[in-house]
Amino acid sequence: MPKSINENFVQKLAEANTKYEVEQKNNRILSQKLELEQKQKEKNRLIYVSSLIFGLALLLAYLLYKRKKQLNKENKKYLSELNRNKRLQALVKQNANSPQKVKGIDDPNFKTYIQDILTINDDIFEVYVELVKGKSYEEVANTIDNISLSGAKTRINKLYEALKIYSKKDLDEKMTKSQSIKIFNDLYVEYQLK
């Protein structure tokens, strides 16, 4: 019988050894599985952080682009205003040298511009043009059809009232021909800068 105890012992020892090896193998598999999960988590974290950094870089690039575009727009506006001011100064200087002549009086577009600004009609404008050219009221009345001497004077007074309103002068103050020419020249400068 001692052999059977020995066999029994060897069998139990073999079973214990097999059980031990299976547990070792299961522990290795579990350890590898945990290691793979850990690597996957790190990979996911890396992808998340990279995506976040990329998104922030895109946002920053967009904000810088918008800022540059806004600065370019402001710069163009500034340069345009600067150029307009230089042209205005040149025109004002040019007009200061010849105050008794209305600039652009024969320009049909300027005529339309003046009529819109001052809300006057063709008759009033025509009478003024003839007066500025040096004609007297009598000559104007003879030049323009269907206008009497008093009609010519009435039209000029209406024009002077419109000029006073436009230039924000006191309506009771008398306007001279030279003042009206200066206002017209200023209006012509505005017209040229449009």
Side-chain angles (χ1 to χ4, degrees), residues 6-49:
N6 240 353
E7 281 178 18
N8 209 3
F9 177 73
V10 169
Q11 188 180 4
K12 284 189 179 185
L13 189 59
E15 284 176 14
N17 192 27
T18 305
K19 203 176 185 182
Y20 174 75
E21 285 178 7
V22 167
E23 279 185 33
Q24 283 290 330
K25 195 173 187 181
N26 284 342
N27 282 342
R28 265 185 279 152
I29 290 172
L30 185 61
S31 174
Q32 288 174 348
K33 202 175 193 181
L34 287 173
E35 194 176 305
L36 281 174
E37 286 177 6
Q38 185 66 26
K39 285 183 180 180
Q40 187 63 37
K41 284 181 181 178
E42 285 181 29
K43 186 177 177 182
N44 288 347
R45 223 178 290 136
L46 182 63
I47 290 171
Y48 174 74
V49 169

Side-chain angles (χ1 to χ4, degrees), residues 87-117:
R87 287 187 357 225
L88 178 62
Q89 287 174 353
L91 288 170
V92 167
K93 188 175 181 181
Q94 181 183 9
N95 285 339
N97 295 335
S98 58
Q100 290 302 314
K101 181 179 176 195
V102 175
K103 308 251 187 242
I105 202 79
D106 297 322
D107 181 350
N109 293 330
F110 180 58
K111 176 183 174 183
T112 305
Y113 177 76
I114 290 295
Q115 288 174 326
D116 288 345
I117 294 262

